Amino acid sequence: MKKIGFIDYFLDEWHAEKYPGWIDSATGGEMKVAYAYGKIDKPGGLGNAEWCEKKGIELLPSIEAVIEKSDYLIVLSPDYPEYHEELSKLPLQSGKPTYIDKTFAPDRKTALLLFEWAAKSGTPMYSSSALRFASEYAGLDKEGIQTICSTGPGKFANYSIHQIEPIVALMGSDVKRVMFTGTDHSPALLIGYADGRQATVNHFGNGTSFGMIVDYATGNAKSIKIASDFFGAFIQSLVAFFETGKAVVDLADTVAIITIIEYGLKAAQTPYQWLELPDA
């Protein structure tokens, strides 16, 4: 049995709660989350020791201890990417396959730094929104896409990745500029590609489904609503990554996604004006 170690800001959060059971089920018990480290106890929630006791996972006192005892590593902190640099530095120097949860980094500079650490040490790593693996997106023809109109719930800061990740997976990473067109209540971002293609990200209230309309150069369009088990498909890809050490998402995609999010937040300060992205 291969053992997985969690490294988190605090352990009492939704991804840490769900991943152990999903991984155990997907591998028939051949991979298990066995160890965990949390930087702090969750304010107003379960402490790390209580959480680990409930889950049957061994709490360790340091990131170093988790790395030493684990075969594979998962850096979580999904809603606090500002801690990923601190939490990921040692894992990315370990040589052990490491998955870093969404959102990968708070900005482009940090994203490039994390990839640099992994490359220097030969550590297999990747990051992704689970939405990338929805079967509805996989069934779309990428050829000839001219425009995408994407919709979903949540706040832009931590949920826009769930729309931007599929857009980049379908249209590519050669994004040149962004423009904020929404409001504080309903954020929206226009994404401009080098060749003139465009995509829009639209955030609405709770109860909004993830989905998109894809318009093709042929004049045809396709409308999809995400209803598939994308988390199940993501876990299968994660298991395959641990088994093979081969990243399933191109680093150029991940850097582009983080850059779009970073500059999308900046663009919100000057709505209806294009903001140019840095060159690749």
Side-chain angles (χ1 to χ4, degrees):
M1 182 185 72
K2 297 295 186 179
K3 296 180 179 181
I4 297 169
F6 275 178
I7 297 165
D8 211 339
Y9 181 46
F10 51 75
L11 291 163
D12 183 16
E13 48 92 357
W14 195 85
H15 286 199
E17 183 70 25
K18 296 294 185 180
Y19 286 4
W22 287 343
I23 292 169
D24 183 75
S25 178
T27 63
E30 292 300 312
M31 292 185 191
K32 286 185 179 292
V33 177
Y35 310 110
Y37 163 84
K39 177 178 171 66
I40 68 167
D41 290 326
K42 182 178 182 178
L46 292 180
N48 294 327
E50 187 179 358
W51 184 90
C52 283
E53 183 177 1
K54 184 188 78 167
K55 298 292 286 184
I57 294 169
E58 183 179 353
L59 180 65
L60 296 176
S62 66
I63 293 173
E64 291 91 336
V66 173
I67 293 170
E68 181 180 355
K69 299 189 76 170
S70 302
D71 298 295
Y72 312 126
L73 303 169
I74 297 178
V75 177
L76 291 152
S77 191
D79 290 328
Y80 297 90
E82 62 270 27
Y83 288 99
H84 280 176
E85 181 177 348
E86 175 185 345
L87 297 175
S88 300
K89 185 172 184 178
L90 294 178
L92 293 180
Q93 295 172 346
S94 71
K96 295 184 177 183
T98 300
Y99 172 75
I100 300 178
D101 214 346
K102 74 86 187 171
T103 300
F104 178 60
D107 50 48
R108 175 186 175 87
K109 179 181 178 181
T110 305
L112 291 170
L113 178 63
L114 297 184
F115 277 114
E116 180 183 341
W117 285 341
K120 284 183 176 179
S121 62
T123 299
M125 62 89 73
Y126 88 102
S127 180
S128 180
S129 160
L131 267 293
R132 173 183 279 264
F133 301 96
S135 62
E136 292 86 352
Y137 295 133
L140 291 171
D141 185 1
K142 297 181 182 181
E143 187 67 30
I145 294 176
Q146 293 297 299
T147 307
I148 286 178
C149 176
S150 174
T151 59
K155 296 180 180 179
F156 185 90
N158 67 333
Y159 257 63
S160 62
I161 189 169
H162 296 314
Q163 296 188 57
I164 295 170
E165 182 100 34
I167 287 170
V168 170
L170 290 166
M171 298 183 73
S173 59
D174 191 20
V175 176
K176 292 301 180 186
R177 55 187 185 169
V178 295
M179 179 192 295
F180 188 84
T181 60
T183 65
D184 290 341
H185 182 74
S186 299
L189 189 72
L190 177 61
I191 298 170
Y193 278 80
D195 58 6
R197 293 175 300 144
Q198 292 185 346
T200 55
V201 171
N202 300 273
H203 288 265
F204 299 110
N206 295 330
T208 304
S209 299
F210 287 106
M212 62 174 56
I213 299 171
V214 183
D215 200 39
Y216 289 91
T218 60
N220 296 321
K222 189 166 185 178
S223 178
I224 61 170
K225 177 181 177 180
I226 304 304
S228 61
D229 180 16
F230 53 84
F231 264 113
F234 157 69
I235 292 295
Q236 291 290 345
S237 78
L238 180 62
V239 168
F241 164 70
F242 285 149
E243 290 174 337
T244 64
K246 295 181 179 179
V248 296
V249 178
D250 191 294
L251 70 86
D253 279 12
T254 301
V255 172
I257 291 160
I258 297 306
T259 305
I260 293 166
I261 296 171
E262 178 188 0
Y263 279 74
L265 289 167
K266 292 179 180 179
Q269 306 305 311
T270 55
Y272 304 105
Q273 297 180 31
W274 282 114
L275 185 62
E276 299 295 318
L277 272 57
D279 292 334

